[in-house]
């Protein structure tokens, strides 16, 4: 009898020098799912699970074939070579996706059912647009979708990437090169084109590609909507925030606290959410809006200070703390992102924003209408505009919807933003 899949999985994981939890994070699975596979509680994993493990472990060639065969999921050689020849594997994230299950399911449903073929993920910088797009691309790629990933950073990953970039930017007219390249990859198969950091995309050019290739789907990530006629805007909001008091966050932590904990563990491996630090962690998450990029930047401070001290540092000098992270120029980037989003608001939406940006607490649409002086009908449109531009986020329950301007936006727009975060 051959070696079991669980044993092979464990051997690859140990050779990679990672724990079950780290592998689960890399593959987008639960730690329990990895453990059940290794101890043989699960004998025949799903195809998408096997593919995600292959990518997380970076298996190729014979090792990948043996791994898939042990799982009973090996593909015929000709099908495997065909899939690899027409698709570039999307980037493999270095951390797990936390708190985005509903967004992933909704977006994949849109793309698979073709109800939406041009989707733009919008939101403030660091909110996780690229991470969400990568997870969607990785899952569809695991289901044998041809996937092409275009990034504004780094060298081209496939021969005609430069032609697609130029065409979608509207800067050159090399449509023939684009059509030929996509024809070789897409054919008549459901396919995905992801354009990351697509701030300069011409939506009409994207629309022409969709008309030419009827099985193609396009996902864009950008700070603000592209403005195309068939574009479906999908605002990516910060992660779910805890209650202000946070006394019970150690028991059932929200997604924002879980992700902050995961980031802190890079520096303090034994760090966990406890009864003692629950309130300060809840206040920190509220203060930084539950924005993943910001939480990642501040996480190194926990190696030098307690949770209470980190909270005090952020509350006293928000801009400086948020500015000092993994990249020295992060603060100008945040400021530029906020100012660009505000500048792209229409005159009336900008006026509406100007009257709400100084309100520290959450508000309903009716309350926003009273504060701003606009009608409730107009207020709904303006709130949608603020959400699409990443300037506001929902805070209430679905049956009692409320919203607020992000603290990040208020800080870099010049207003204080500490009053509602549960600070002592």
């Amino acid at each position: 009898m051959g070696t079991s899949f669980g044993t092979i999985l464990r051997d690859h994981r140990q050779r990679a020098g990672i724990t079950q939890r780290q592998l689960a994070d890399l593959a987008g699975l639960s730690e329990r799912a990895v453990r059940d596979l290794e101890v043989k509680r699960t004998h025949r994993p799903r195809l998408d699970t096997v593919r995600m493990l292959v990518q997380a472990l970076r298996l190729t060639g014979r090792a990948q074939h043996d791994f898939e065969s042990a799982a009973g999921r090996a593909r015929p050689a000709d099908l495997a070579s065909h899939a690899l020849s027409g698709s570039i594997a999307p980037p493999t994230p270095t951390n797990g996706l936390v708190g985005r299950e509903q967004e992933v399911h909704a977006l994949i449903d849109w793309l698979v059912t073709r109800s939406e073929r041009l989707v733009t993920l919008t939101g403030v910088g660091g909110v996780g647009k690229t991470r969400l797009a990568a997870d969607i691309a990785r899952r569809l790629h695991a289901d044998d979708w041809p996937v092409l990933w275009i990034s504004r950073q780094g060298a081209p990953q496939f021969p005609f990437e430069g032609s697609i970039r130029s065409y979608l930017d509207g800067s050159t007219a090399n449509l023939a090169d684009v059509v030929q390249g996509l024809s070789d990859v897409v054919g008549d198969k459901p396919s995905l084109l992801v354009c990351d950091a697509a701030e300069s995309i011409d939506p009409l050019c994207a629309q022409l590609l969709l008309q030419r290739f009827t099985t193609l789907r396009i996902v864009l990530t950008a700070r603000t909507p592209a403005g195309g006629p068939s574009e479906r805007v999908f605002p990516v909001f910060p992660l779910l925030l805890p209650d202000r008091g946070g006394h019970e966050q150690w028991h059932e932590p929200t997604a924002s606290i879980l992700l902050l904990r995961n980031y802190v563990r890079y520096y303090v491996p034994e760090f966990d959410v406890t009864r003692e630090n629950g309130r300060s962690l809840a206040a920190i998450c509220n203060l930084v809006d539950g924005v993943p990029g910001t939480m990642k930047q501040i996480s190194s401070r926990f190696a030098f200070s307690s949770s209470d001290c980190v909270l005090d540092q952020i509350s006293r000098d928000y801009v400086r703390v948020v500015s000092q992270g993994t990249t020295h120029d992060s603060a100008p980037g945040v400021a530029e992102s906020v100012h660009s989003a505000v500048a792209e608001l229409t005159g009336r939406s900008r006026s509406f924003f100007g009257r709400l940006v100084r309100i520290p607490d959450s508000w309903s649409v009716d309350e926003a209408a009273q504060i701003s002086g606009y009608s409730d009908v107009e207020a709904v449109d303006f709130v949608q505009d603020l959400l699409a531009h990443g300037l506001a986020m929902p805070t209430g329950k679905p049956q009692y919807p409320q919203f607020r301007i992000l603290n990040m936006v208020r800080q870099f727009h010049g207003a204080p933003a500490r009053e509602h975060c549960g600070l002592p």
Side-chain angles (χ1 to χ4, degrees):
M1 180 180 294
T3 306
S4 70
F5 176 75
T7 300
I8 293 176
L9 172 61
R10 185 194 63 218
D11 289 346
H12 279 299
R13 176 181 61 77
Q14 291 177 344
R15 277 197 293 270
I18 57 178
T19 65
Q20 290 179 340
R21 184 174 70 194
Q22 290 170 328
L23 176 58
D25 287 343
L26 289 171
L29 303 171
S30 68
E31 183 179 356
R32 178 177 179 180
V34 173
R35 182 172 62 251
D36 286 351
L37 287 170
E38 289 194 1
V39 301
K40 308 180 186 63
R41 288 198 187 100
T42 302
H43 297 282
R44 185 174 171 81
R46 295 172 51 187
L47 176 61
D48 59 342
T49 298
V50 175
R51 300 289 172 75
M52 287 189 285
L53 287 169
V54 165
Q55 293 186 20
L57 292 166
R58 297 184 179 275
L59 302 180
T60 58
R62 183 69 184 179
Q64 177 181 353
H65 176 76
D66 292 346
F67 187 83
E68 293 176 341
S69 296
R73 297 295 187 180
R75 295 175 292 172
D78 58 341
L79 177 59
S81 62
H82 178 74
L84 290 175
S85 66
S87 183
I88 306 299
T92 300
T94 58
N95 59 292
L97 190 65
V98 176
R100 298 294 192 194
E101 292 80 8
Q102 292 183 347
E103 291 94 328
V104 168
H105 290 317
L107 288 165
I108 288 182
D109 181 65
W110 288 358
L111 297 170
V112 170
T113 63
R114 298 175 63 180
S115 61
E116 302 293 343
R117 295 180 59 212
L118 176 58
V119 179
T120 301
L121 309 182
T122 64
V124 69
V127 80
K129 303 181 293 294
T130 299
R131 180 65 183 81
L132 180 58
D135 195 79
I136 294 164
R138 197 159 56 101
R139 294 190 188 209
L140 293 178
H141 184 263
D143 284 340
D144 290 326
W145 279 45
V147 173
L148 295 175
W149 182 281
I150 297 177
S151 175
R152 296 306 188 192
Q153 300 177 348
Q157 299 299 304
F158 52 92
F160 58 99
E161 179 177 347
S163 297
I164 295 184
R165 286 184 183 182
S166 298
Y167 172 73
L168 290 176
D169 286 345
S171 56
T172 59
N174 51 3
L175 180 58
D177 292 341
V178 174
V179 170
Q180 181 61 51
L182 285 177
S183 296
D184 293 340
V185 174
V186 175
D188 59 355
K189 304 182 292 295
S191 310
L192 178 66
L193 172 63
V194 180
C195 299
D196 189 29
E199 311 299 339
S200 58
I201 289 293
D202 184 338
L204 294 180
C205 292
Q207 185 62 40
L208 288 175
L209 280 186
L210 292 174
Q211 292 175 1
R212 174 64 178 79
F213 298 96
T214 57
T215 59
L216 179 66
R217 284 78 153 167
I218 298 178
V219 171
L220 312 175
T221 71
R223 291 193 304 263
T224 57
S230 61
E231 175 190 31
R232 178 63 181 263
V233 178
F234 190 97
V236 180
F237 301 123
L239 294 175
L240 180 65
L241 294 172
D243 293 335
R244 298 180 190 178
H247 295 291
E248 301 301 325
Q249 291 308 317
W250 65 276
H251 184 56
E252 292 185 1
T254 60
S256 55
I257 287 187
L258 285 176
L259 186 59
L260 177 59
R261 179 203 64 184
N262 292 351
Y263 283 141
V264 173
R265 282 178 172 174
Y266 285 117
Y267 304 95
V268 187
E270 69 277 11
F271 185 85
D272 210 344
V273 184
T274 66
R275 185 188 299 271
E276 289 72 25
N277 65 18
R279 184 171 185 269
S280 58
L281 292 178
I284 289 171
C285 288
N286 274 278
L287 197 55
V288 301
D289 302 301
V291 173
T294 307
M295 293 193 293
K296 185 176 183 178
Q297 285 183 240
I298 67 172
S299 60
S300 63
R301 291 181 172 267
F302 287 80
F304 309 97
S305 306
S306 68
S307 300
D308 288 338
C309 290
V310 173
L311 172 60
D312 181 64
Q313 294 164 13
I314 300 172
S315 64
R316 284 189 290 108
D317 198 346
Y318 180 98
V319 173
R320 181 179 180 82
V321 173
V322 169
S323 302
Q324 294 179 339
T326 54
T327 56
H328 180 69
D329 295 328
S330 57
V334 172
E336 179 185 358
S337 175
V338 170
H339 295 152
S340 296
V342 174
E344 292 189 18
L345 294 174
T346 62
R348 288 163 63 81
S349 288
R350 195 179 306 173
S351 172
F352 180 83
F353 166 78
R355 298 178 188 184
L356 290 172
V357 71
R358 299 187 181 281
I359 307 299
D361 293 314
S362 300
W363 32 263
S364 66
V365 169
D366 289 340
E367 290 169 336
Q370 295 174 5
I371 294 169
S372 65
Y374 290 103
S375 70
D376 55 350
V377 175
E378 293 174 307
V380 169
D381 293 335
F382 296 149
V383 171
Q384 288 180 330
D385 209 11
L386 298 185
L387 294 174
H389 283 73
L391 298 170
M393 62 183 290
T395 60
K397 296 181 180 179
Q399 60 270 37
Y400 304 107
Q402 289 199 318
F403 311 88
R404 71 167 171 85
I405 304 296
L406 268 64
N407 290 333
M408 175 187 299
V409 172
R410 300 182 64 242
Q411 286 284 359
F412 286 96
H413 198 70
R418 304 188 182 103
E419 297 92 329
H420 80 294
C421 295
L423 299 177

